[in-house]
Amino acid sequence: MAIQLKFSLPEKLYIKDPQTTKYGNKLLGNSVLLIDELGFEGFTFKKLAAKIDSTETSIYRYFENKHLLLLFLNCWYWEWLNYLIEVETKNLPSPQVRLERAIHLIVNAHHEFTLTAYVDEVILHKVVVMEGTKSYHIHSVDNENKDGLFVCYKELVERVAAIIELVQPDFEYPRGLSSTLFEMANHQLYFARHLPRLTDLKRKDDLKVELEKMLLIFAKKMLI
Amino acid sequence: MAIQLKFSLPEKLYIKDPQTTKYGNKLLGNSVLLIDELGFEGFTFKKLAAKIDSTETSIYRYFENKHLLLLFLNCWYWEWLNYLIEVETKNLPSPQVRLERAIHLIVNAHHEFTLTAYVDEVILHKVVVMEGTKSYHIHSVDNENKDGLFVCYKELVERVAAIIELVQPDFEYPRGLSSTLFEMANHQLYFARHLPRLTDLKRKDDLKVELEKMLLIFAKKMLI
DNA sequence: TAAAAATGATAGCAATACTATTATTTGGAA
DNA sequence: TTCCAAATAATAGTATTGCTATCATTTTTA
């Protein structure tokens, strides 16, 4: 039996925590599938309700609106990745190796680890790459930030920034490099898939290998 | 009398080119203001119509929907920046200096140059930073890409990639570095303004100076 | 086994994202 | 100058979205 991970996500993200109920699990799993299928703009609670044989009303008992659901999915992903980076880098010998491992996980975690029984992490990753930035590019950022809705991403970025600081204590931009690695991982992948002239990565089987190599080179050169 | 720039933007972006009419100019200028004020999600053609004392119907004669209007604004900004980088780097002595100038323009163009008489370029830049990624993170990317709607961004990225290749001909990731510089410029600025734990840049008067310095260091280190 | 909690069913409403039709204005060419 | 064509306005209408409210039913759990 697999371990079920339940994350403590910011309370204001949801009305009722979907991780705690069967219905909630179904809601989450299917929302990932449906957002992937329709795109976030085409996705509605009504369509999700139809997909899980339920009603809009019931979904509104979990989330105030679809934006917060998207942010929930992102936070979830960030928490999971943060947890993985923590346990997977803990006992590694040097900061350099830990950074390498972290970069490997940023690119590959969704293929190598399981989040839960009810969410397809490969598709969740697709959604994060495709729709992720929309979860924090919103008019109400400042208010939502006050409510702590972005701590998950901050902590994730800070975890890798901490490793970067160990690699090179006098480096001026540990957070900037860390957030850039996360953003690059998503954008370069997105570009390779959809707007290939914006990247040098080629869309083939080993795209992930190439991406990891690219991020590694960027990080290494920055920390020379 | 200032020179009025009119750009050739992809035809499928609009139904009728708003650059060619007085009404269109008013539409563009006010859409920038209103998107900045309400955020892209809160922005509607009805509200824009009210603001310019017109009707929804009239706006729909220029743009199929608000997504294409946002993309138009981005394309416009990209074309303008591309043009500026071209003329401003043309006669510079070395590739290094040209790259430095390009980075300076990515960060500062909107404060130093004028786009047109009817658009506030500082606010346009705010909109690009805040809402820009939404214009190419859409379910219909592949179709829109076929229609050539993203050429402006591609050409802009390629212009800087070409300079990068001159600086270091055997560098593996000219496009990747170029697109990353553009994306970083926006994201790090956005983070400094709204999610400061994600960056090392401090929110103060000389934020732009700091950002330029950061991008310069990144680029330099990559091309050692 | 009764109370409480969760979900479903139904209804409704204001706003959004359009389209269609018919006036009216306005800018240019004859 | 006037008349034509193009552009814009006015009005109306429709399906969908993004909710909220109420009440009935099912499921949990104490």
Side-chain angles (χ1 to χ4, degrees):
Chain A
M1 182 176 143
I3 300 160
Q4 281 288 348
L5 295 174
K6 186 190 168 298
F7 297 111
S8 300
L9 302 179
E11 273 189 22
K12 295 224 174 175
L13 258 185
Y14 46 79
I15 294 165
K16 182 184 165 73
D17 189 345
Q19 294 177 106
T20 60
T21 67
K22 216 171 170 182
Y23 181 91
N25 294 352
K26 203 169 153 193
L27 193 172
L28 292 174
N30 284 279
S31 67
V32 170
L33 299 177
L34 203 57
I35 292 173
D36 176 55
E37 187 184 329
L38 305 174
F40 185 62
E41 282 71 33
F43 169 85
T44 69
F45 278 0
K46 193 166 210 164
K47 291 173 190 167
L48 176 58
K51 193 177 172 80
I52 62 177
D53 257 306
S54 175
T55 60
E56 266 182 290
T57 330
S58 300
I59 297 172
Y60 276 109
R61 284 199 195 92
Y62 283 84
F63 290 104
E64 236 178 282
N65 53 52
K66 70 173 183 171
H67 161 250
L68 288 173
L69 167 55
L70 178 67
L71 184 54
F72 184 97
L73 295 174
N74 271 274
C75 287
W76 205 17
Y77 173 79
W78 290 324
E79 270 301 282
W80 173 66
L81 191 52
N82 192 346
Y83 166 79
L84 283 178
I85 293 178
E86 185 190 0
V87 302
E88 290 278 315
T89 61
K90 202 170 6 194
N91 298 316
L92 294 176
S94 73
Q96 282 79 3
V97 178
R98 287 166 74 179
L99 182 56
E100 282 167 23
R101 184 75 188 143
I103 288 173
H104 175 83
L105 288 170
I106 292 171
V107 176
N108 300 296
H110 56 103
H111 276 121
E112 298 174 3
F113 294 88
T114 296
L115 212 190
T116 66
Y118 48 93
V119 169
D120 183 323
E121 40 284 305
V122 174
I123 300 189
L124 174 60
H125 183 256
K126 266 183 78 186
V127 168
V128 167
V129 168
M130 181 85 195
E131 317 288 356
T133 59
K134 293 171 193 167
S135 68
Y136 48 90
H137 281 89
I138 22 147
H139 195 57
S140 49
V141 220
D142 297 332
N143 284 322
E144 298 194 358
N145 191 30
K146 269 181 207 140
D147 289 339
L149 297 193
F150 305 110
V151 265
C152 299
Y153 195 33
K154 292 175 187 173
E155 286 172 1
L156 176 60
V157 165
E158 276 165 2
R159 177 172 303 280
V160 172
I163 300 177
I164 289 169
E165 278 185 312
L166 291 177
V167 173
Q168 204 191 103
D170 59 337
F171 181 60
E172 280 180 290
Y173 306 110
R175 286 156 192 257
L177 176 55
S178 175
S179 58
T180 297
L181 288 172
F182 285 103
E183 302 272 323
M184 269 183 89
N186 289 344
H187 291 133
Q188 296 292 314
L189 203 57
Y190 184 77
F191 293 159
R193 284 182 186 148
H194 302 289
L195 302 165
R197 280 169 64 189
L198 299 180
T199 183
D200 311 278
L201 301 174
K202 296 291 162 258
R203 196 187 171 165
K204 39 182 178 177
D205 289 343
D206 60 350
L207 178 54
K208 294 279 167 63
V209 176
E210 300 244 322
L211 175 61
E212 186 180 341
K213 196 180 134 206
M214 180 181 180
L215 294 181
L216 221 48
I217 291 178
F218 267 69
K220 286 270 167 76
K221 289 207 182 187
M222 289 307 299
L223 299 174
I224 281 171
Chain B
M1 180 177 144
I3 301 162
Q4 281 288 347
L5 295 174
K6 184 189 167 298
F7 297 110
S8 299
L9 302 180
E11 273 188 25
K12 295 225 174 174
L13 258 185
Y14 47 78
I15 295 165
K16 182 185 165 73
D17 189 345
Q19 293 177 109
T20 60
T21 67
K22 216 172 171 179
Y23 181 92
N25 295 353
K26 204 169 152 193
L27 194 171
L28 293 174
N30 284 278
S31 66
V32 171
L33 299 177
L34 204 56
I35 292 173
D36 175 55
E37 186 184 329
L38 305 174
F40 185 61
E41 281 71 33
F43 169 85
T44 70
F45 278 0
K46 193 165 211 165
K47 291 173 188 167
L48 176 57
K51 192 177 172 82
I52 63 177
D53 257 305
S54 177
T55 60
E56 267 182 290
T57 332
S58 301
I59 297 171
Y60 276 108
R61 280 201 201 88
Y62 284 82
F63 290 104
E64 237 177 281
N65 53 52
K66 71 172 182 172
H67 161 250
L68 288 173
L69 168 54
L70 178 67
L71 184 54
F72 184 99
L73 295 174
N74 271 274
C75 288
W76 205 16
Y77 173 79
W78 291 324
E79 270 300 282
W80 173 66
L81 190 53
N82 191 347
Y83 166 80
L84 283 179
I85 294 177
E86 184 188 1
V87 302
E88 290 277 316
T89 61
K90 202 168 8 194
N91 298 316
L92 294 177
S94 72
Q96 281 80 3
V97 177
R98 287 166 76 180
L99 183 56
E100 281 166 24
R101 185 74 187 144
I103 288 172
H104 176 82
L105 289 169
I106 292 171
V107 176
N108 300 295
H110 56 105
H111 276 121
E112 298 173 4
F113 294 88
T114 296
L115 213 189
T116 65
Y118 48 93
V119 169
D120 183 323
E121 40 285 305
V122 174
I123 299 190
L124 174 60
H125 183 256
K126 264 183 79 186
V127 168
V128 168
V129 168
M130 180 86 194
E131 317 286 357
T133 60
K134 293 171 194 168
S135 69
Y136 48 91
H137 280 88
I138 22 149
H139 195 56
S140 50
V141 221
D142 297 331
N143 284 322
E144 296 193 359
N145 191 30
K146 269 182 205 140
D147 288 339
L149 298 193
F150 306 110
V151 266
C152 299
Y153 195 32
K154 292 175 187 174
E155 285 172 2
L156 176 60
V157 165
E158 276 164 2
R159 178 172 302 281
V160 172
I163 301 176
I164 289 169
E165 278 184 312
L166 291 177
V167 174
Q168 204 191 103
D170 59 338
F171 180 60
E172 281 181 288
Y173 306 110
R175 285 157 192 255
L177 176 56
S178 175
S179 58
T180 297
L181 288 172
F182 285 104
E183 301 273 322
M184 269 183 89
N186 290 344
H187 291 134
Q188 296 293 314
L189 203 57
Y190 184 76
F191 293 158
R193 284 181 185 149
H194 301 289
L195 302 165
R197 280 168 63 189
L198 298 179
T199 184
D200 312 276
L201 302 173
K202 297 290 163 259
R203 197 186 171 165
K204 40 184 180 177
D205 290 342
D206 59 351
L207 178 55
K208 293 280 166 64
V209 176
E210 300 244 322
L211 175 62
E212 186 180 341
K213 196 181 134 207
M214 179 181 180
L215 294 181
L216 221 48
I217 291 179
F218 267 69
K220 287 271 168 74
K221 289 208 181 184
M222 288 308 300
L223 298 173
I224 280 170

